[in-house]
Amino acid sequence: MRLVPDVRDGVTVVDVSGNLSLTTYSDLRDGLLKIATDAPDSLIADIGGLTIEEDKLAGVFATVAMRISDWPGVPFALVSSRPEHAAVLKSQTIDRFVPVHAGIAEAERERDRPPRRRAVQLLVPSAGASALARQFVARVCAEWGVPEHTEDALLVATELVENTIRHTASAPRLRLELRRGVFTVAVGDDDPRPAVLHERVDSADWGLGLQMVAQIARVWGCSRSWAGGKVVWAVLVRRGRPRAGGR
């Protein structure tokens, strides 16, 4: 299985080639999910060079679409001019979850382009990183005019940055996004170990960590990145609305 991403004018196009089998299913799924973590505005997978051993394996594309719908929340589309691909995707109802186009130009022309605002801050791994993160979040929330998200965003950013400093040797990359009224806070690092939500927190530990993030967020998660690290993210809800647990 071979995946080659190419970022162009707000869209990431991934050339997918090889053989989709039970053995390579997870490679394709995880590869697309990793690339999606840094996709700018949308993700297009060109599967013209892909052979699908069994029709049911095409369900991998619906799985990817559902997984990235919460975060990073970018539109996802497939491209192939092969009639057998169109038949398989239709028979497995994949086209109900993922738009299918005959060419990249068509996919780029018809892709959904929801307005999005993004702000990124690279932090030095130091004792003062969380304070700088809070200053950044407060400033961005004020600029974007989203006071309803400010309090939660400050807390989530603080916890995620502190977790990065405490458990990795990486510089935290704080990322804020606003798309269709949905506000997200994400912190990336270079450590591939996943963030783990513990049922109980030692009172000697600083803060409440991911427990607090899980209580505040509508949904949260930890996604591997194409570069080899990970991104821990949280989708926030407006104050006054019910919250559901993370995953």
Side-chain angles (χ1 to χ4, degrees), residues 88-136:
V88 168
L89 295 171
K90 186 173 183 60
S91 69
Q92 300 298 307
T93 68
I94 306 304
D95 54 347
R96 294 185 182 180
F97 302 94
V98 188
V100 181
H101 303 282
I104 293 176
E106 175 186 318
E108 291 183 319
R109 185 171 58 252
E110 297 186 14
R111 67 189 169 104
D112 184 20
R113 302 187 186 193
R116 184 194 63 181
R117 306 185 80 168
R118 173 188 282 189
V120 180
Q121 179 70 58
L122 179 64
L123 299 166
V124 176
S126 66
S130 58
L132 293 174
R134 287 192 293 271
Q135 293 174 14
F136 174 72

Side-chain angles (χ1 to χ4, degrees), residues 101-234:
H101 303 282
I104 293 176
E106 175 186 318
E108 291 183 319
R109 185 171 58 252
E110 297 186 14
R111 67 189 169 104
D112 184 20
R113 302 187 186 193
R116 184 194 63 181
R117 306 185 80 168
R118 173 188 282 189
V120 180
Q121 179 70 58
L122 179 64
L123 299 166
V124 176
S126 66
S130 58
L132 293 174
R134 287 192 293 271
Q135 293 174 14
F136 174 72
V137 170
R139 183 175 70 254
V140 171
C141 286
E143 291 175 355
W144 291 355
V146 287
E148 67 276 16
H149 291 305
T150 303
E151 183 179 346
D152 288 347
L154 286 169
L155 193 151
V156 170
T158 299
E159 295 295 343
L160 296 185
V161 168
E162 285 288 344
N163 278 345
T164 298
I165 293 173
R166 188 183 307 115
H167 299 298
T168 79
S170 301
R173 295 184 295 274
L174 175 58
R175 173 168 143 190
L176 307 178
E177 291 186 322
L178 181 65
R179 184 196 298 265
R180 289 176 174 157
V182 177
F183 193 95
T184 63
V185 179
V187 174
D189 62 58
D190 299 325
D191 193 321
R193 294 175 299 172
V196 178
L197 175 63
H198 297 289
E199 292 185 4
R200 303 182 66 178
V201 177
D202 188 335
S203 59
D205 284 345
W206 187 95
L208 297 176
L210 290 177
Q211 280 196 343
M212 182 62 75
V213 173
Q215 291 173 12
I216 287 177
R218 183 183 75 191
V219 62
W220 73 278
C222 178
S223 302
R224 295 286 297 275
S225 65
W226 186 250
K230 67 177 178 296
V231 179
V232 185
W233 51 269

Side-chain angles (χ1 to χ4, degrees), residues 28-47:
L28 177 56
R29 178 198 62 205
D30 296 345
L32 289 174
L33 290 174
K34 290 176 183 178
I35 293 171
T37 62
D38 290 318
D41 288 317
S42 64
L43 179 64
I44 298 173
D46 184 350
I47 62 171

